[in-house]
């Protein structure tokens, strides 16, 4: 990596890119009821979200490894262009099928935007500064969350849900221009090995697995649907086993298996998965509670979700400033305590509960995500050297997105909204209560898993990686 990059301008560009990726999820969450209502597809509620996450989860580790091979800048720009194309086409969609397809295209580009910015920060800054900058970068998700639900609600109520996709275009263009101008990278011109067999096996296997989970919600226990799910799961097992076989022998594996021999990375990845299963409920199902159970507007639900968006950046900034002093373990443990309290609060909600209590619980959840996920990002990027940093960060983001995708599919099985055209508030309330009860159990599991985290986090050396690979 060439050190002549304008660090300040590059960081600003990465903040813009992170904002771009973050605002996509928060804007869409409040617009989902309007989108499915206009396109007559409430039964496909989870598809619009799941297909985006499915494409993202497949490409995230691929972008991470390719950025190690061909440079962060080149792969970031490629992903951003794909993402913007998907955003524009999503805004033009006329049917649910078209929107789902274009959301898939968005996801194919989003893998770069959710991984490479954190990798670049790991390259540019030493450990002490890296924690603070990545804390601020993680807070961008909350800042986007503050504007996202509210802006999404306003656009849905007063303009059109299509505008939420067009909003991505100016942010993406700015990010591309700033990074193109300010970031300098130099690589020796040599032929680099690309693990095409590994990419193909991984993509097919993960697609089969995630597609099987997604269609579980659509099945009516028919023999045709059941057989399709079985076939998909068998295909997933075969291709993921083939992927493991290929990676053990590849000179440049997409997901280097030695990463998982490092205790910090393996433990952090496991907890990150659980946190992001829980995160799905906060981002996608809480707005549904406000609009479907309480009967308020999209704008109202956006306002009610603001505490989540305040707590997230606040927790991220605190984690970035304190991790060098207190360590990842203590900060993440405090975050898990907040998560348990917030989850219990959601479980006790009724349609007559005070909106103030709802906002307190969302604030605690936001603080939890900010404290824990930011600490994990710093820990992962500091546990490896430059040559593996893209793959390490990519694998962690892969685990997070996988958690969200699995969460959407599994919670979708418990979501009953009534008919395909009209949401039944009573059925929806009972469904969401079941989801909130499961949320408490998962939160307690996260709290217990925190005890397995290493007590200290250090900057990795080449010898650490060599020991892990032996």
């Amino acid at each position: 990596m060439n050190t002549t990059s304008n660090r300040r301008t590059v960081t600003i560009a990465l903040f813009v890119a992170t904002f771009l990726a973050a605002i996509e999820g928060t804007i869409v969450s409040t617009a989902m009821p309007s989108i499915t209502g206009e396109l007559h597809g409430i039964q496909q509620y989870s598809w619009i979200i799941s297909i985006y996450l499915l494409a993202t989860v497949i490409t995230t580790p691929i972008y991470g490894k390719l950025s190690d091979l061909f440079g962060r800048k080149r792969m970031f720009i490629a992903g951003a262009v794909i993402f913007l194309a998907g955003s524009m086409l999503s805004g033009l969609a006329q049917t649910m099928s078209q929107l789902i397809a274009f959301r898939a295209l968005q996801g194919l580009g989003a893998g770069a935007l959710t991984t490479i910015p954190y990798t670049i920060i790991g390259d540019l800054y030493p450990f002490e500064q890296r924690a603070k900058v990545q804390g601020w970068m993680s807070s961008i998700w909350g800042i986007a969350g503050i504007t996202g639900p509210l802006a999404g609600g306003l656009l849905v109520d007063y303009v059109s849900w299509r505008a939420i996709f067009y909003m991505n275009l100016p942010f993406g263009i700015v990010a591309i221009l700033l990074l193109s101008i300010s970031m300098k990278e130099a690589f020796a011109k040599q032929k680099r090995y690309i693990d095409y067999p590994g990419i193909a096996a991984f993509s097919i296997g993960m697609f089969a697995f995630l597609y099987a989970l997604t269609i579980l919600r659509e099945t009516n226990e028919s023999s045709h649907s059941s057989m399709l799910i079985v076939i998909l799961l068998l295909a997933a097992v075969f291709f993921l086993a083939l992927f493991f076989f290929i990676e053990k022998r590849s000179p440049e594996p997409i997901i280097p298996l030695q990463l998982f021999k490092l205790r910090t990375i393996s433990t952090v990845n496991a907890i990150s998965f659980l946190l992001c299963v829980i995160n799905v409920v906060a981002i996608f199902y809480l707005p549904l509670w406000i609009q479907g159970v309480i009967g308020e507007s999209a704008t109202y639900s956006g306002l009610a979700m603001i505490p989540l968006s305040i707590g997230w950046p606040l927790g991220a900034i605190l984690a970035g400033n304190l991790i060098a002093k207190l360590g990842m373990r203590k900060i993440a443990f405090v975050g898990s305590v907040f998560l348990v309290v917030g989850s219990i609060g959601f479980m006790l909600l009724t349609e007559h509960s005070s909106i103030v209590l709802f906002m307190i619980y969302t604030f605690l959840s936001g603080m939890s995500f900010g404290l824990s996920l930011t600490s994990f990002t710093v820990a992962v990027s500091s546990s490896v050297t430059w040559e593996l940093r893209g793959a390490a960060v990519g694998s962690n983001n892969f685990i997070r997105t996988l958690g969200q995708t699995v969460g959407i599919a599994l919670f979708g099985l418990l979501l009953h909204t009534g008919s395909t055209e009209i949401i039944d508030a009573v059925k929806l309330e009972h469904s969401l209560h079941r989801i909130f009860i499961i949320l408490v159990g998962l939160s307690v599991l996260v709290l217990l898993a925190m005890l397995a985290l290493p007590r200290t986090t250090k900057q990795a050396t080449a010898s650490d990686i060599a020991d892990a690979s032996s």
Side-chain angles (χ1 to χ4, degrees):
M1 175 110 180
N2 197 311
T3 58
T4 61
S5 297
N6 186 324
R7 181 188 291 179
R8 187 178 205 177
T9 308
V10 169
T11 303
I12 293 173
L14 298 177
F15 282 0
V16 173
T18 303
F19 180 82
L20 169 68
I23 201 172
E24 172 62 20
T26 55
I27 285 183
V28 170
S29 65
T30 52
M32 288 301 297
S34 297
I35 293 174
T36 55
E38 180 178 326
L39 299 181
H40 306 291
I42 185 62
Q43 72 277 13
Q44 295 175 294
Y45 183 97
S46 64
W47 268 99
I48 297 176
I49 302 167
S50 296
I51 197 67
Y52 174 82
L53 293 175
L54 188 153
T56 303
V57 75
I58 291 174
T59 57
T60 293
I62 296 174
Y63 279 117
K65 182 59 181 181
L66 292 180
S67 74
D68 287 338
L69 295 176
F70 299 102
R72 324 298 195 203
K73 179 177 178 179
R74 182 182 302 177
M75 298 313 303
F76 171 86
I77 293 176
V81 170
I82 295 172
F83 180 87
L84 293 182
S87 297
M88 182 177 64
L89 291 172
S90 293
L92 296 172
Q94 299 299 313
T95 66
M96 284 294 291
S97 297
Q98 289 180 3
L99 181 57
I100 291 170
F102 298 146
R103 286 281 288 169
L105 183 62
Q106 265 190 313
L108 292 177
L113 303 186
T114 58
T115 297
I116 297 178
Y118 290 98
T119 307
I120 295 175
I121 291 298
D123 296 338
L124 292 178
Y125 293 91
F127 179 78
E128 293 77 10
Q129 291 179 291
R130 181 185 308 154
K132 292 182 179 180
V133 176
Q134 287 185 335
W136 280 101
M137 178 169 287
S138 295
S139 75
I140 296 295
W141 289 83
I143 295 172
I146 295 173
T147 57
L150 180 57
L154 289 171
L155 288 171
V156 168
D157 289 342
Y158 300 106
V159 185
S160 169
W161 61 263
R162 300 178 187 279
I164 67 174
F165 296 109
Y166 298 140
M167 281 186 63
N168 291 324
L169 300 178
F171 296 112
I173 293 172
V174 168
I176 291 173
L177 290 177
L178 285 177
L179 200 74
S180 298
I181 295 171
S182 60
M183 185 173 177
K184 309 297 181 183
E185 264 188 324
F187 283 91
K189 291 185 177 181
Q190 56 181 310
K191 185 176 181 180
R192 300 181 183 276
Y193 177 83
I194 301 178
D195 186 14
Y196 290 115
I199 292 175
F202 176 78
S203 299
I204 296 172
M206 286 307 305
F207 179 84
F209 173 67
L210 298 174
Y211 183 54
L213 289 181
T214 302
I215 64 173
L216 275 174
R217 183 174 181 268
E218 309 298 329
T219 183
N220 295 317
E221 298 184 353
S222 66
S223 59
H224 173 73
S225 296
S226 299
M227 182 60 67
L228 177 59
I229 292 172
V230 170
I231 292 173
L232 287 170
L233 291 177
L234 290 175
V237 170
F238 173 79
F239 281 103
L240 291 178
L242 178 62
F243 170 72
F244 180 81
F245 177 83
I246 293 171
E247 296 304 276
K248 289 190 68 174
R249 291 157 178 77
S250 174
E252 289 289 350
I254 291 298
I255 302 179
L257 299 180
Q258 70 262 34
L259 290 176
F260 299 97
K261 295 183 180 180
L262 298 173
R263 182 185 170 191
T264 296
I265 289 181
S266 59
T267 307
V268 161
N269 282 345
I271 301 175
S272 294
F273 177 85
L274 293 175
L275 279 173
C276 289
V277 170
I278 296 170
N279 177 263
V280 162
V281 175
I283 293 178
F284 297 114
Y285 288 94
L286 292 180
L288 190 59
W289 173 276
I290 295 294
Q291 296 180 57
V293 175
I294 301 179
E296 297 291 348
S297 67
T299 300
Y300 188 94
S301 72
L303 291 170
M305 293 297 292
I306 285 180
L308 176 74
S309 305
I310 294 176
W312 194 316
L314 179 60
I317 293 171
L318 288 174
N321 283 280
L322 296 176
I323 190 172
K325 298 177 182 178
L326 302 179
M328 171 191 66
R329 193 171 187 262
K330 291 181 179 178
I331 295 174
F333 187 82
V334 171
S336 66
V337 172
F338 288 160
L339 183 63
V340 170
V341 175
S343 298
I344 292 175
F346 294 137
M347 183 183 66
L348 299 176
L349 285 176
T350 70
E351 61 177 317
H352 303 296
S353 296
S354 168
I355 191 63
V356 175
L357 285 176
F358 178 89
M359 296 174 80
I360 290 174
Y361 303 147
T362 57
F363 176 79
L364 290 174
S365 297
M367 280 286 291
S368 173
F369 298 136
L371 288 169
S372 301
L373 294 177
T374 301
S375 299
F376 293 163
T377 299
V378 176
V380 168
S381 64
S382 301
S383 297
V384 294
T385 51
W386 188 95
E387 292 78 10
L388 287 175
R389 185 166 292 133
V393 174
S395 68
N396 182 248
N397 284 328
F398 157 67
I399 292 294
R400 294 184 185 188
T401 311
L402 178 62
Q404 288 185 316
T405 309
V406 171
I408 283 289
L410 294 182
F411 289 135
L413 293 173
L414 300 175
L415 186 65
H416 299 287
T417 59
S419 70
T420 59
E421 302 296 331
I422 301 175
I423 295 179
D424 186 318
V426 175
K427 290 184 178 180
L428 179 61
E429 181 179 2
H430 290 163
S431 297
L432 290 176
H433 264 139
R434 285 197 295 269
I435 291 174
F436 294 155
I437 291 172
I438 295 174
L439 194 67
V440 173
L442 291 175
S443 300
V444 172
L445 184 59
V446 167
L447 180 65
L448 296 175
M450 291 292 182
L451 300 177
L453 287 170
R455 293 185 179 275
T456 59
T457 300
K458 66 174 183 174
Q459 176 71 45
T461 64
S463 60
D464 295 327
I465 307 303
D467 292 340
S469 62
S470 62

